[in-house]
């Protein structure tokens, strides 16, 4: 069935771990009759948590795409993980979605991953609505969460529902748009009764409706006039809320309890009423891969094709799947499209609409739709697929930095090839997972976002891919950088009796802001260094930066500019300039004050107030910096601290033993910071000798 673009909603559900995302998704599918029995996370029976590892652990690991029909609309849904180790799944989902439902626990409020999700939505300017879940839980505090959204997230919450009761007495919501009480009276939540607002809540409802109209009227002159005339029409108010939501001027706030089957139908109704269709979001922009000019594509099935690949997965039945969002045009089965990053064509052999791990074949994907493509061999996460004659390269996506590594080696030589192939497949699926071989030791090293991330990777290697391997202990993924700018000139000359090798380069090397990455720029005339050698110079420079100078850790946040050099008509070659670039940048880095960097983690700890003293003392002993301490109404205290990753191995177990099992912690990467010199001496072999050599060169 083909839908009018105005009747499509592409939404994500995102939140802190255990806020109820998968439970809410399951209810949406049930009430839309997409499924006929509600699955539960704790039973391992939900639709979107289909991986063995997800069902065993009761957490979402990979984002799952599904869809349903609701009141004549097609609602495409991506259920995302809440654990910080899998934040890339949220990142790539938000890159292609038109709106997001941000879930908050009514007890936990704004938690660490809530902040991360909110920042990710800000990065891509994604409109959102908020659903305060678990209103039936002891300690639920609706107004406290609304306040935290405003203060901690710097959001602009606009309440469109108020709770009727709280904790065990929660029975429904007040719809401030319709000015009605909405109650769910049966256990499954299918029988909904609308009626009068309870008398003890009418004043509160009037107060918040006036606030709602005041904020919404900023986006509708008609609503403002109706308000002054004393006759606000529901349709006018809804239209104004929709305009403000799509413009990201404010965020509607709803509430309920997904587990107890209350509030889900009104949540989806709000998605249809207030969230954008593909027609409501700005036209997508990109650049022409050859001219560099800005190209614009509208959400129109008849425009030239522009689609973004946002996820790669391996399906046991059909093989490699590439998930795409089509922004313009129509992508048909058997069609050949262009990948501008590679400059190569790709044929789409099949198109699937996914319901978690279930597949529904279709003949085409039109503008505004999400689907998975079969047959693409080269396209990966962040790549564009476009019309061959009217090309466009869309903006890719932000990739978080892996911060933890472990060594892994096959148990036998026969397993070596299987391990390599399996690691390539996993790296293809997950851009935050890296596998490399240590040139000095010959060990295979895998890197990821955290201990749980790598634990899942290793589990999949053993069970899904059948690889028998020995796994080392987790280690910190240190980095190297420089602290000052220098210029160097290096000449490489080698004569062998026949044609020799000659290359000379002059480089300017400078530090960049933390997290900016490495860059190379050729700012030299062709009379000094011909253009055909620039790529070879860049390759030599980047290979050297990736292998490190101090202790074989990759170097980051360095700008390298080619500002001069010379060549020989006969003896110069790409390999000569590659070698010259490598030895020049090594010399420059040694003169530029190299430093070792370590990952700092933002740790969010929830603990009963009686354990705050021991927890804070332990954090101080781990060289942690406490940034914020907040007390909630239920006696739980949130402690936010920055702690070096090297101090956090095994911390969760230590924290539980210190709090009789009642405290928990979540850590996410914050930034790379310089390692203290006394610690650098322990990490880097022959540190004193290396630093002596470096100081002699400076």
């Amino acid at each position: 069935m083909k839908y009018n673009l105005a009747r499509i909603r592409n939404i994500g559900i995102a939140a802190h771990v255990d806020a109820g995302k998968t439970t809410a998704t399951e209810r949406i599918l049930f009430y839309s009759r997409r499924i006929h029995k509600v699955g539960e996370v704790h039973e391992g029976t939900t639709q979107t948590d289909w991986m063995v590892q997800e069902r065993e652990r009761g957490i979402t690991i990979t984002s799952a795409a599904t869809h349903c029909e609701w009141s004549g609309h097609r609602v495409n849904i991506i259920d995302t993980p809440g654990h910080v180790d899998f934040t890339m799944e949220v990142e790539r989902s938000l890159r292609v979605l038109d709106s997001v439902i941000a879930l908050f626990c009514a007890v936990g409020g704004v938690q660490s991953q809530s902040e991360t999700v909110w920042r990710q939505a800000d990065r891509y300017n994604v409109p959102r609505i908020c659903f305060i879940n678990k209103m039936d839980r002891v300690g639920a505090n609706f107004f406290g969460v609304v306040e935290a959204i405003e203060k901690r997230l710097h959001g602009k919450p606009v309440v469109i529902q108020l709770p009727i009761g709280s904790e065990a007495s929660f029975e429904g919501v007040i719809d401030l748009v319709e000015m009605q009480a909405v109650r769910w009276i049966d256990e499954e939540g299918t029988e909904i009764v609308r009626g009068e607002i309870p008398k003890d809540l009418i004043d509160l409802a009037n107060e918040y409706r006036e606030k709602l109209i005041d904020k919404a009227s900023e986006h509708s002159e008609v609503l403002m006039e109706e308000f002054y005339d004393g006759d606000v029409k529901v349709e006018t108010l809804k239209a104004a809320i929709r305009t403000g939501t799509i413009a990201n001027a404010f965020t509607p706030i709803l509430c309920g309890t997904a587990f107890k089957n209350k509030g889900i139908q009104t949540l989806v109704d709000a998605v249809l009423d207030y969230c954008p269709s593909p027609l409501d979001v700005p036209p997508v922009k990109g650049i022409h891969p050859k001219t560099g000019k800005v190209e614009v594509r509208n959400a129109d099935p008849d425009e030239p094709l522009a689609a973004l690949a946002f996820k790669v997965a391996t399906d046991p039945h059909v093989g490699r799947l590439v998930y795409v969002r089509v922004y313009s045009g129509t992508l048909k089965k058997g069609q050949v499209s262009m990948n501008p990053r590679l400059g190569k064509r790709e044929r789409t052999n099949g198109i699937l609409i996914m319901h978690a791990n279930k597949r529904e074949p279709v003949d085409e994907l039109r503008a505004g739709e999400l689907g998975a493509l079969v047959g693409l061999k080269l396209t990966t996460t962040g790549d564009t697929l476009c019309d061959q004659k009217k090309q466009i390269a869309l903006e890719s996506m932000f990739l978080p930095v892996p911060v933890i590594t472990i060594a892994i080696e096959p148990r036998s030589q026969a397993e070596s090839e299987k391990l390599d192939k399996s690691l390539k497949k996993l790296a293809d699926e997950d851009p935050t997972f890296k596998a490399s071989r240590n040139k000095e030791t010959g060990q295979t090293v895998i890197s990821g976002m955290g201990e749980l991330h790598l634990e899942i990777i290793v589990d999949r290697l053993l069970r899904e891919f059948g690889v028998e391997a020995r796994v080392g202990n987790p280690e910190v993924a240190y980095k190297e950088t420089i602290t000052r700018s220098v210029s160097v000139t290096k000449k490489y000359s080698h004569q062998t009796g026949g044609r020799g090798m000659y290359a000379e380069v002059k480089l300017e090397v400078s530090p960049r802001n933390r997290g900016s990455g490495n860059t190379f720029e050729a700012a030299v005339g062709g009379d000094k260094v011909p253009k055909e050698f620039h790529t070879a110079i860049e390759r030599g420079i980047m290979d050297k930066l990736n292998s490190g100078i101090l202790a074989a850790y990759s170097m980051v946040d360095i700008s390298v500019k080619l500002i001069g050099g010379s060549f020989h008509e006969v003896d110069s070659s790409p390999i000569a300039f590659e070698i010259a670039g490598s030895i020049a940048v090594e010399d420059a880095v040694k003169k530029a004050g190299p430093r070792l960097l370590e990952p700092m983690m933002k740790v969010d700890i929830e603990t009963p107030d009686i354990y705050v003293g021991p927890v804070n003392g332990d954090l101080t002993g781990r060289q942690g910096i406490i940034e914020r301490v907040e007390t909630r109404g239920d006696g739980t205290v949130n402690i936010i601290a920055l702690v070096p990753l090297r101090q956090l191995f095994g911390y969760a177990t230590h924290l539980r033993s210190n709090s009789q099992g009642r405290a928990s912690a979540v850590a996410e990467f914050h930034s790379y910071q310089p390692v203290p010199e006394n610690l650098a001496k322990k990490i880097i072999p022959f540190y004193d000798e290396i630093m002596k050599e470096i100081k002699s060169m400076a």
Side-chain angles (χ1 to χ4, degrees):
M1 179 178 178
K2 290 299 174 188
Y3 287 85
N4 183 310
L5 278 174
R7 290 184 169 267
I8 292 178
R9 300 290 183 273
N10 294 315
I11 66 168
I13 302 182
H16 187 82
V17 64
D18 200 33
K21 298 175 298 300
T22 301
T23 302
T25 304
E26 194 76 6
R27 268 57 179 182
I28 292 172
L29 296 175
F30 175 70
Y31 295 129
S32 67
R33 301 189 183 278
R34 187 75 176 79
I35 59 175
H36 303 291
K37 184 178 184 298
V38 174
E40 301 294 356
V41 172
H42 61 276
E43 295 175 357
T45 55
T46 59
Q47 297 289 309
T48 53
D49 283 352
W50 56 271
M51 291 175 63
V52 174
Q53 292 84 358
E54 291 177 315
R55 295 189 167 184
E56 286 180 349
R57 291 167 171 80
I59 61 171
T60 302
I61 293 170
T62 182
S63 55
T66 185
H67 61 89
C68 66
E69 278 67 45
W70 195 283
S71 300
H73 291 67
R74 170 67 165 248
V75 182
N76 296 315
I77 307 168
I78 297 183
D79 175 29
T80 66
H83 198 286
V84 67
D85 281 17
F86 310 107
T87 191
M88 182 60 202
E89 295 292 319
V90 185
E91 186 77 30
R92 57 177 159 199
S93 299
L94 291 179
R95 172 64 182 84
V96 298
L97 292 169
D98 297 326
S99 56
V100 63
I101 299 171
L103 252 70
F104 297 89
C105 172
V107 180
V110 174
Q111 297 164 284
S112 59
Q113 190 65 1
S114 310
E115 295 186 55
T116 302
V117 168
W118 201 268
R119 286 197 308 271
Q120 290 170 313
D122 283 341
R123 183 178 295 130
Y124 300 114
N125 199 32
V126 180
R128 65 216 76 161
I129 59 177
C130 297
F131 183 71
I132 299 176
N133 193 28
K134 303 189 179 184
M135 283 301 304
D136 60 309
R137 290 269 304 275
V138 174
N141 184 351
F142 174 83
F143 295 104
V145 180
V146 173
E147 183 181 1
I149 291 171
E150 186 170 20
K151 290 185 176 179
R152 284 186 60 176
L153 302 179
H154 307 293
K156 298 174 182 175
V158 172
V159 174
I160 66 171
Q161 287 182 357
L162 289 171
I164 301 176
S166 186
E167 300 181 343
S169 64
F170 177 74
E171 57 184 82
V173 300
I174 297 171
D175 181 343
L176 296 176
V177 177
E178 304 266 4
M179 282 303 277
Q180 293 178 331
V182 185
R183 292 179 173 87
W184 289 260
I185 59 175
D186 66 319
E187 192 171 319
E188 281 194 336
T190 54
E191 293 184 41
I192 304 173
V193 174
R194 289 180 173 266
E196 293 184 359
I197 298 170
K199 291 181 180 179
D200 60 328
L201 294 175
I202 193 69
D203 289 342
L204 186 67
N206 285 330
E207 176 191 342
Y208 273 88
R209 190 170 201 259
E210 192 168 320
K211 290 180 180 179
L212 169 61
I213 293 171
D214 181 57
K215 185 59 73 174
S217 63
E218 295 176 8
H219 303 275
S220 171
E221 291 184 5
V222 176
L223 177 61
M224 191 177 295
E225 291 172 4
E226 289 182 358
F227 178 65
Y228 285 132
D229 292 340
D231 183 25
V232 173
K233 295 181 176 61
V234 170
E235 294 75 17
T236 307
L237 180 53
K238 282 186 176 181
I241 297 171
R242 178 179 177 80
T243 301
T245 303
I246 292 172
N248 257 327
F250 53 71
T251 306
I253 308 291
L254 300 89
C255 62
T257 166
F259 184 64
K260 293 294 180 67
N261 307 312
K262 295 174 182 176
I264 297 300
Q265 293 95 328
T266 50
L267 172 62
V268 185
D269 288 340
V271 167
L272 304 191
D273 288 337
Y274 310 126
C275 289
S277 74
L279 293 174
D280 297 313
V281 296
V284 69
K285 293 182 179 180
I287 60 168
H288 193 286
K290 295 179 180 176
T291 67
K293 291 183 178 179
V294 175
E295 298 279 339
V296 179
R297 297 287 186 271
N298 294 296
D300 184 341
D302 297 323
E303 284 218 0
L305 174 68
L308 184 73
F310 66 93
K311 180 181 172 71
V312 176
T314 302
D315 186 282
H317 302 286
V318 297
R320 190 173 187 265
L321 292 177
V322 178
Y323 287 73
V324 298
R325 158 72 187 264
V326 179
Y327 285 96
S328 67
T330 302
L331 181 60
K332 297 184 178 181
K333 181 180 177 182
Q335 181 174 331
V336 176
S337 49
M338 176 63 71
N339 182 324
R341 179 181 68 85
L342 301 169
K344 295 187 177 181
R345 294 178 295 176
E346 288 267 58
R347 179 182 295 276
T348 300
N349 296 331
I351 303 176
L352 304 171
I353 300 296
M354 302 300 293
H355 175 53
N357 62 332
K358 299 179 179 65
R359 302 163 300 280
E360 178 186 324
V362 295
D363 293 326
E364 64 180 28
L365 285 178
R366 291 152 51 95
E369 295 184 333
L370 306 173
L373 309 184
V374 180
L376 304 186
K377 295 180 172 60
L378 304 172
T379 300
T380 190
T381 302
D383 282 355
T384 301
L385 292 173
C386 63
D387 187 282
Q388 295 183 70
K389 294 180 179 178
K390 296 188 177 181
Q391 295 186 29
I392 184 173
L394 304 177
E395 181 186 358
S396 187
M397 57 191 74
F398 172 79
L399 296 180
V401 182
V403 295
I404 190 170
T405 67
I406 57 174
I408 184 168
E409 58 182 42
R411 290 190 178 275
S412 65
Q413 190 61 38
E415 291 288 305
S416 181
E417 187 176 346
K418 187 193 288 188
L419 174 63
D420 289 344
K421 287 182 177 179
S422 302
L423 291 175
K424 284 179 182 176
K425 284 185 178 181
L426 290 168
D428 188 30
E429 292 182 17
D430 184 354
T432 61
F433 168 70
K434 305 292 181 186
S436 60
R437 192 175 294 277
N438 187 307
K439 293 179 182 178
E440 295 180 1
T441 65
Q443 276 187 320
T444 296
V445 177
I446 59 176
S447 307
M449 298 298 295
E451 290 183 80
L452 179 60
H453 186 198
L454 292 183
E455 182 185 319
I456 298 297
I457 291 288
V458 170
D459 190 57
R460 289 187 64 192
L461 279 172
L462 300 177
R463 292 205 282 188
E464 190 175 322
F465 294 94
V467 175
E468 294 185 14
R470 288 185 288 268
V471 181
N473 294 321
E475 295 181 0
V476 176
Y478 293 100
K479 302 286 185 188
E480 300 175 23
T481 194
I482 58 175
T483 57
R484 57 179 177 267
S485 299
V486 298
S487 296
V488 298
T489 302
K490 277 291 177 181
K491 183 186 294 184
Y492 176 71
S493 180
H494 184 64
Q495 297 297 325
T496 59
R499 180 180 176 180
M501 297 183 73
Y502 177 89
E504 183 183 40
V505 297
K506 184 176 183 180
L507 303 180
E508 183 181 274
V509 177
S510 306
R512 304 185 74 212
N513 291 334
R514 196 68 64 239
S516 301
N518 297 329
T519 61
F520 171 79
E521 178 188 355
V524 63
D527 59 325
K528 301 285 187 183
V529 180
K531 193 172 182 180
E532 60 262 30
F533 297 133
H534 292 180
T535 301
I537 295 169
E538 181 180 7
R539 184 166 56 247
I541 288 169
M542 292 305 173
D543 284 350
K544 177 55 66 175
L545 293 181
N546 286 335
S547 61
I549 300 297
L550 292 175
Y553 296 112
S554 61
M555 307 204 73
V556 295
D557 306 331
I558 298 174
S559 165
V560 183
K561 186 182 292 187
L562 175 66
I563 57 174
S566 64
F567 70 102
H568 189 277
E569 291 287 355
V570 176
D571 292 346
S572 289
S573 63
I575 186 63
F577 272 100
E578 183 176 338
I579 294 170
S582 177
I583 60 176
V585 79
E586 179 175 3
D587 189 41
V589 165
K590 287 180 177 178
K591 293 178 179 178
R595 289 291 301 272
L596 192 67
L597 301 174
E598 66 175 337
M600 297 291 289
M601 309 298 285
K602 186 175 83 169
V603 185
D604 187 340
I605 301 164
E606 291 188 5
T607 178
D609 52 11
I610 59 174
Y611 301 112
V612 168
V615 170
N616 282 346
D618 184 51
L619 286 172
T620 302
R622 294 173 185 270
Q623 300 170 5
I625 301 169
I626 297 171
E627 289 195 326
R628 191 168 68 238
V629 178
E630 298 174 345
T631 303
R632 298 206 304 252
D634 62 347
T636 301
V637 176
N638 265 93
I639 302 169
I640 312 295
L642 290 181
V643 186
L645 174 60
R646 58 186 158 82
Q647 295 283 3
L648 291 178
F649 293 120
Y651 177 65
T653 302
H654 186 79
L655 179 65
R656 283 194 293 269
S657 65
N658 270 358
S659 62
Q660 298 183 2
R662 297 174 64 189
S664 62
V666 176
E668 68 171 310
F669 172 71
H670 180 268
S671 61
Y672 268 94
Q673 299 296 335
V675 174
E677 187 172 9
N678 64 328
L679 177 63
K681 290 183 178 181
K682 297 178 182 178
I683 297 170
I684 302 174
F686 310 111
Y687 176 83
D688 291 331
E689 291 88 338
I690 293 171
M691 295 309 294
K692 186 177 180 180
E693 177 194 352
I694 288 172
K695 287 175 182 176
S696 69
M697 298 176 64

